[in-house]
Amino acid sequence: MVRVLFGLVVAVATVSNAQNIAVTGVPTKPGPNGAVPIRRELRDLQKNFPDQFNLFILGLKNFQAMNEKDMQSYYQISGIHGMPYKPWNGVVSTSDWEETGGFGGYCTHSSILFAPWHRPYIALWEQNLYASVQRVAARFPAGTLRNKYVAAAKDFRSPYWDWAMKPPNNGDAFPTLFVSRNISVVDTDGRNKTVRNPLHRFDFHPVNPSAGDFDESFSRWNYTIRYPNAAEFGVSHDEVISGILANEMASLRSNVGLLLMSYKDFDAFTYSQWDSETDPGRYGSLEDVHNRIHDVTGGRGHMSYLSVSAFDPLFWMHHINVDRLWAIWQDLQPNSFMSPKPAPYPSTFSTNWKQTEDRNSPLIPFWDKTGSKFWTSEEIRNSTTTFGYAYPETQEWLYNGNNTAYQASIKSAVSKMYQMNVFNRAMDDMRPVSKRSSLFARRRQTDGPVPPPLQHLAPNNTYTEYIFNIRASKIGMGDSFRIFAFLGPYDKSNPSNWHMEKNLVGRVSILTRDMGNNSTAAPRMDPSTHMTSGTIPLTSALLADIIMQDNFMEDSEPLQSLAPEKVVPYLQKNLDWKATMFGGDEEVDLMEIPMLEISVASTSVRLTDEGIPEFESEWVVHKEATMGRAGGMVDEETY
C-alpha cells in the first residue's frame, strides 16, 4: 500500500503470504550472567575450534545445496539483497523503483538504515546456517564422534573475516580459505576427505531457477566469481587479492581505528552520505570502509555489484565483520543513535526516494520473532544478544555491570588489534629495512607509548593526525568508481597497476546501486543532492617517509616532522590522486566526476600511557595542500 505522511509518498510493504518467516537468529537461552555464544574470526575458528570449523564447512556446503526455490535456501536469502528483484516471503514491492529506474533489491545503502538493516539480514542467514549445521552433526556415526560434533554444534555461530587486522603468523592478507578450490574435512561418515570449498564460491543449480532471475550479464556465470578476465572465461583470479589488500593494510587498519576511537555520532559513523554540515573529521564511515572491501575483493566479479554480491560466500564473512564493528562502536557510544534522514536515490524495492527513514522504520522484509511485524532499528540497536550472539570484544557479562571497565577493555582491544599507536606500528612495519634508517640505531626499551627514535615527533606524547578526504556525487558516472591516493613517486602511465604501487596510501570506493531498465533517469538528477564521502588516513605513510628519508619527489625535501608547517608543503609536492571505474582499468578524468573535492584535514592526538589514542574533536582543513589541482580545493566554497 502507499500512504501520504507529511506530504511525502511513503511505501509500505504488503504481504501476499500468510506464512511469515520470523527472523529469530539462533534460539538462545543466555547463561546466568547473560553469556551467549561468540561469533569468532574465521582463522581463529579454524585454528582453535576445529570441530566447529569442520561443521561450518560441511553446514555451509549443505546450506548452499538446498533447493533454490525454498524461501530459506542460501539462494533465496542471498537474493533478498539485490537480484532477482522479486518478492521474498511474499513481501511485495509498493515503491516506485520500476517507474523511476531504481534499484530492485531490498538492501539499504547510502541510507541511515545501512548497519541496522543488515543485522537481521545476517541473523536470518545465520539461523538457517545453524539449522544446517545441526543436521550435519546428527549424521555422524552414533557414539563418541556424533556426540562430539553435536556438542560443538550447540554453540556454533557463523564466523567473520576481520579484513583490517594484521594477519596472524604473517599469513596472507586475504585468507587462503577463500582462495582454495578444495578443502579437507572430516565428513559425516567419519572419514577424512577433500571436498569442494564452499567459501571459494557458490555454485548456482541452476543459475536461473525462475526465468529472469538474473540479467544477461550475470546469467552467463554458473557460479560466483572474483577477478575474472576476458582471456579465461569463468576463472576466478582471487589469488591477486592478498597482494592488493596487503598493499593498503596500513591505511585500512588506521581507518577502522579512527572510526572506532574518534567518531561519537551514529549518523557520521555508519553511513556515507555527505552534506554541507559534515565535519572535516567525519568524511569517513563504516559504509565507506565496507565499500572498499567490496571493491578490493570483487575485481569486476560478483562482490563488485550490490545487485549480486550476496551470492558470494565472502559477502557474509565481510558483513558479519561490519556488524561486529558497529557492535563495538555502539557499546562505546551507547547514547548515540540515528536521526531521521531522507531515503537516498534511487528508490529500492521497498522504499521510495526521499521517504523519511528513522529508528522506527520497518527493516523490510525481516519479520520479528512474532512474525506479525517487521524489526526496527530501535529494537536491535543495543545488543546483539537479541539474535543470540556476541563478539570477542563485546562480552559485557564478564564485567559484572562495570561499564567503565568494559569500555576500557574494548578500547584496549581495538588499539592493540588495529595498531592504533602509529609510532609502534611504524617501527614494526619498518623493521625489515631498519638498517637503511639511522633512526633505528637509537631504539631503546621505554616505558612510554612512543619509541625513543620517534619521540621528537610526539612531544608530550602528542602529535598531529592527517587524513585525505573525498566528497563527490554518486550519480553521473554511470557506474561505481574509486579514487586512489598516492604519497611519493608512482607510474602514472599504468592505471591497471595502481593498486600495487608501493606509494599507494589507499582508496575511497564509491559504490553505487545498480540501476533498473530506466537508468537514464540518473543524469536528469541534481548531482549535489546525492553526495557521498570517504577518508584515507595519511599519518602512517607520512611516518614511513620520515623514517626512510628516501621516498619523495625530485623537487621536494625529505620530511622531518609531523608539524603542519612541514607536512602541508610536503603534501603539496608529494600527494597525488587518480580515479578509475570499477568496470575497467582506464584512468578517469577527475574533472568529469561531479562535485568532486579533495581535501586534507588534521587534528591533535594524545597517546595515553597505554598507547591508546585520544583524538581532539576539532579538525583543521589545509586548503593549500590540494589547491590548484584537478579535484582539489579552491579559495571560495564549491558547494
Side-chain angles (χ1 to χ4, degrees), residues 91-109:
V91 183
V92 302
S93 173
T94 54
S95 77
D96 60 4
W97 77 272
E98 291 185 284
E99 294 83 2
T100 60
F103 176 76
Y106 291 98
C107 75
T108 56
H109 288 265

Side-chain angles (χ1 to χ4, degrees), residues 446-494:
T446 176
D447 293 330
V450 183
L454 303 179
Q455 285 178 353
H456 65 289
L457 300 174
N460 299 316
N461 299 331
T462 301
Y463 68 97
T464 304
E465 177 82 18
Y466 295 88
I467 55 176
F468 176 93
N469 283 336
I470 293 169
R471 72 117 212 259
S473 174
K474 293 191 71 167
I475 65 171
M477 295 300 291
D479 195 2
S480 301
F481 61 97
R482 62 181 74 87
I483 308 288
F484 291 112
F486 304 90
L487 191 63
Y490 67 101
D491 184 357
K492 298 182 180 182
S493 68
N494 189 9

Side-chain angles (χ1 to χ4, degrees), residues 166 253 261 410-421 610-613:
K166 189 173 183 179
R253 284 199 299 269
M261 304 294 274
I410 293 177
K411 291 178 182 178
S412 178
V414 167
S415 186
K416 181 179 180 180
M417 180 166 294
Y418 301 118
Q419 297 180 292
M420 287 302 294
N421 183 329
E610 294 77 26
I612 297 174

Side-chain angles (χ1 to χ4, degrees), residues 89 101 249 297 340 351 375 385 391 417 447 458 568 576:
N89 192 211
M249 188 62 76
T297 61
T351 306
W375 285 104
T385 58
Y391 294 104
M417 180 166 294
D447 293 330
V568 172
D576 199 17

Side-chain angles (χ1 to χ4, degrees), residues 333-351:
Q333 310 294 337
N335 297 320
S336 179
F337 203 48
M338 70 174 67
S339 53
K341 301 286 184 181
Y345 180 85
S347 296
T348 69
F349 194 83
S350 59
T351 306

Side-chain angles (χ1 to χ4, degrees), residues 616-636:
E616 290 287 338
S617 60
E618 183 176 349
W619 290 74
V620 177
V621 176
H622 303 282
K623 283 188 175 183
E624 60 274 30
T626 64
M627 195 179 296
R629 289 184 280 171
M633 299 195 76
V634 296
D635 285 322
E636 66 274 6

Side-chain angles (χ1 to χ4, degrees), residues 258 422 463-467 537-539 601-605 615 619:
L258 184 72
V422 293
Y463 68 97
T464 304
E465 177 82 18
Y466 295 88
I467 55 176
L538 295 174
T539 311
S602 70
T603 194
S604 178
V605 181
F615 293 80
W619 290 74

